[in-house]
Amino acid sequence: MRKNSIAICGGAFGDEGKGRIIDEFTNSFAEERAVVVYRDNGGANAGHTIFHNGKRVALHQLLSGVFHKNATLILGKDMVLHPGDLVMEMHDVEIAAEGTIPATIMIDELATLSLDTHRAFENVLKQTQEGGKGSTGRGISPAYADVILRHPLKMRDIRDWDEAKIQKHYQLYEALISGLGGDLAQTEVPTVHGDTILVGTFAEFSKRLKEQVEIFKSCINDVHEFVATAWENEETAFLFEKAQAIGLDKRWGVYPDVTASDCTLDGIYSSTEGIVDPQLIETKAAVIKATYMSSVGSRILPSQMEETLANRIREDAHEYGATTKRPRGITYLDLPALRYFLRVGRVTHLVLTHMDIVYADTKIKVCTEYKKDGKNVVYRPDQMYLNTVTAEYIELETWDSQIAKKAKSRTELPQAAQAYLTFIEQQLGVPVIMITTGAAREEGIRF
Ligand code: IMP
């Protein structure tokens, strides 16, 4: 095992509250030593909010630790990055920091670009295809598709300004979009701040891109050497910040409600070109919500929650998408799905968030098994299959969330909450290392 290393991924269908957990671990590392925070997947489709000097900052492509001078953030090779959004985010961080960005930012020169062309294409595709409807519209899958189709634009293409290549890219998307009845220049695309802009002509598009890259050009590097050296020095902490969640992974999610990247820790191996073997990471943790699951998308799990309780949770836990603000679907905690995710994700530890979302008048209902034709069956990421299985439940004692919020250790938690943690550990076969009982920093316990 490599000392001082931790990877944090989403253990369900996204929005588990992992940003807050990543932030907590990054800050506690950064208080004592240099920390490298590495991200290998996704792009502006991710989103989490952190507070700095009382100011709220939404991070989408930048990483936790951005406010810490001991942190080096690496936006890895297998990310898909949107330069315009990145500039806006950097600016937001500068405002909150009241000066320059405290952390060092390094962008792999081989990271793929996800541009307004991709957003425009996704927009037009949404009108013609069923499966893409649930996407965040941030141009993620077209950017990954560019890689598969062998015509991606990379960070170094805009750093070194390869005009011919950039123009060819624009023309390709212009042709694709016009083939589907659209007009690239006239298409409106979203920005990270939630407003929209017109893609514009090639001259307008490339002028914007050129101005944007100037702002972070010095961050674009060959990061290979740096990662290798830092990984060898076990005194430097390494935190791997995964985006999305195992249940949204292109292979393990319920198609088509999936994102285009590898949401498991395996993606770290390819993004770092084999420097980091994810199996050597000391703590491989998945974050899940303690008593229910939430997600956006059209998949229907056998463990759907009845709407009265789902609505109550949606309001109390503010279950609306961080990037798109869409209301999230709520299910009971689904142990068959989680067993599958932990197995394919090769996860060794759990973090449970939202331990305060429980009600004195309602027992906690957990889906323990799937049944089909009278037999126990496993979760599989296939909607037609899931439609044929039924969920079995157990009801467990609830606890007083106010008492849980005040607890400073596992043994100070209400008895029922302690019993619940033991139940989850036994059912899923991995230990819980941290819980949260609210949004405030002190409303969390590390075991
Ligand atoms: P895309 O990643 O924009 O292609 O979206 C694909 C699917 O993943 C959609 O159902 C999105 O809502 C979902 N998704 C992508 N990123 C996140 C995330 O960070 N949290 C939750 N859902 C996400």
Side-chain angles (χ1 to χ4, degrees):
M1 289 295 147
R2 197 279 192 189
K3 251 187 9 191
N4 293 318
S5 61
I6 182 166
I8 307 224
C9 67
F13 297 101
D15 307 316
E16 299 90 353
K18 65 182 173 303
R20 141 97 193 271
I21 309 300
I22 293 167
D23 205 44
E24 160 104 20
F25 279 96
T26 311
N27 286 330
S28 70
F29 270 137
E31 270 148 32
E32 7 178 283
R33 58 185 72 242
V35 55
V36 175
V37 187
Y38 187 98
R39 178 163 155 200
D40 68 284
N41 77 306
N45 51 347
H48 73 258
T49 305
I50 57 173
F51 288 87
H52 183 74
N53 290 339
K55 292 189 196 96
R56 190 176 179 278
V57 186
L59 297 180
H60 297 275
Q61 299 177 102
L62 289 177
L63 312 182
S64 279
V66 71
F67 290 107
H68 231 292
K69 62 175 178 13
N70 274 351
T72 301
L73 317 182
I74 304 191
L75 311 191
K77 180 178 168 184
D78 288 349
M79 284 186 75
V80 287
L81 294 165
H82 187 280
D85 279 3
L86 191 58
V87 167
M88 286 188 196
E89 235 180 291
M90 287 169 81
H91 185 62
D92 292 345
V93 170
E94 280 165 357
I95 291 173
E98 294 172 5
T100 52
I101 298 176
T104 305
I105 299 174
M106 293 174 85
I107 302 171
D108 194 320
E109 63 179 7
L110 293 178
T112 296
L113 296 180
S114 166
L115 300 171
D116 291 339
T117 41
H118 297 109
R119 291 183 179 183
F121 184 53
E122 200 163 44
N123 194 323
V124 176
L125 269 185
K126 270 189 193 182
Q127 293 153 29
T128 57
Q129 67 170 195
E130 257 313 295
K133 282 209 165 69
S135 111
T136 60
R138 297 307 194 262
I140 303 301
S141 55
Y144 279 114
D146 275 0
V147 179
I148 308 284
L149 292 168
R150 293 184 283 261
H151 55 231
L153 280 182
K154 298 282 182 179
M155 268 294 169
R156 71 174 170 209
D157 298 326
I158 54 169
R159 178 195 59 198
D160 304 340
W161 201 258
D162 188 337
E163 174 94 8
K165 201 166 174 185
I166 298 162
Q167 186 159 21
K168 222 168 153 186
H169 166 87
Y170 183 93
Q171 285 165 348
L172 172 68
Y173 276 87
E174 195 172 39
L176 288 171
I177 290 168
S178 100
L180 289 169
D183 179 347
L184 174 59
Q186 292 306 315
T187 307
E188 283 196 354
V189 289
T191 79
V192 80
H193 284 159
D195 49 356
T196 55
I197 55 163
L198 272 187
V199 177
T201 60
F202 175 67
E204 289 161 336
F205 166 83
S206 66
K207 179 170 176 284
R208 212 163 53 232
L209 198 53
K210 213 173 203 165
E211 285 165 3
Q212 289 157 353
V213 71
E214 275 311 314
I215 295 168
F216 58 82
K217 211 174 192 172
S218 61
C219 303
I220 308 172
N221 292 301
D222 173 355
V223 304
H224 196 260
E225 220 25 65
F226 177 87
V227 175
T229 312
W231 181 246
E232 274 200 1
N233 172 10
E234 296 200 3
E235 292 316 308
T236 298
F238 253 87
L239 187 136
F240 297 91
E241 171 172 343
K242 291 292 307 185
Q244 287 78 51
I246 305 173
L248 291 173
D249 182 283
K250 60 181 172 183
R251 302 148 303 172
W252 315 119
V254 182
Y255 196 82
D257 282 329
V258 295
T259 191
S261 69
D262 181 338
C263 303
T264 71
L265 310 186
D266 292 347
I268 297 165
Y269 191 70
S270 53
S271 191
T272 61
E273 299 180 20
I275 295 168
V276 176
D277 175 354
Q279 289 310 300
L280 298 181
I281 299 170
E282 216 169 24
T283 307
K284 298 175 269 293
V287 182
I288 60 171
K289 280 175 182 157
T291 59
Y292 66 95
M293 305 206 304
S294 73
S295 66
V296 288
S298 58
R299 77 185 80 71
I300 301 175
L301 295 185
S303 48
Q304 291 306 301
M305 187 177 278
E306 51 93 15
E307 259 318 289
T308 322
L309 181 57
N311 278 331
R312 196 170 174 189
I313 292 176
R314 197 173 287 117
E315 294 317 309
D316 290 346
H318 195 70
E319 290 292 351
Y320 294 89
T323 304
T324 58
K325 317 280 181 259
R326 289 174 289 184
R328 296 177 187 144
I330 316 272
T331 68
Y332 293 106
L333 195 76
D334 188 317
L335 295 178
L338 292 173
R339 282 184 202 114
Y340 183 94
F341 296 153
L342 300 192
R343 179 170 62 82
V344 298
R346 299 198 278 176
V347 162
T348 55
H349 297 83
L350 275 179
V351 174
L352 265 51
T353 61
H354 297 70
M355 280 286 283
D356 56 319
I357 304 294
V358 285
Y359 301 101
D361 57 0
T362 312
K363 283 195 167 191
I364 301 167
K365 197 165 153 184
V366 174
C367 165
T368 49
E369 299 292 346
Y370 287 174
K371 279 251 190 294
K372 185 176 170 165
D373 304 328
K375 284 200 211 111
N376 279 356
V377 290
V378 294
Y379 169 91
R380 294 198 36 234
D382 171 11
Q383 189 63 60
M384 273 167 76
Y385 167 80
L386 290 172
N387 292 346
T388 66
V389 311
T390 52
E392 300 272 300
Y393 296 96
I394 188 173
E395 287 197 331
L396 298 159
E397 289 306 318
T398 183
W399 54 85
D400 185 325
S401 62
Q402 293 311 315
I403 297 179
K405 272 178 184 292
K406 290 192 193 103
K408 295 274 168 279
S409 67
R410 187 163 170 158
T411 49
E412 278 174 35
L413 285 167
Q415 279 299 330
Q418 292 186 47
Y420 186 80
L421 291 177
T422 307
F423 170 78
I424 297 295
E425 289 178 329
Q426 283 167 349
Q427 289 286 322
L428 296 178
V430 290
V432 175
I433 53 167
M434 181 178 174
I435 62 160
T436 67
T437 54
R441 199 155 178 209
E442 55 285 1
E443 294 173 322
I445 313 172
R446 272 163 74 173
F447 303 152

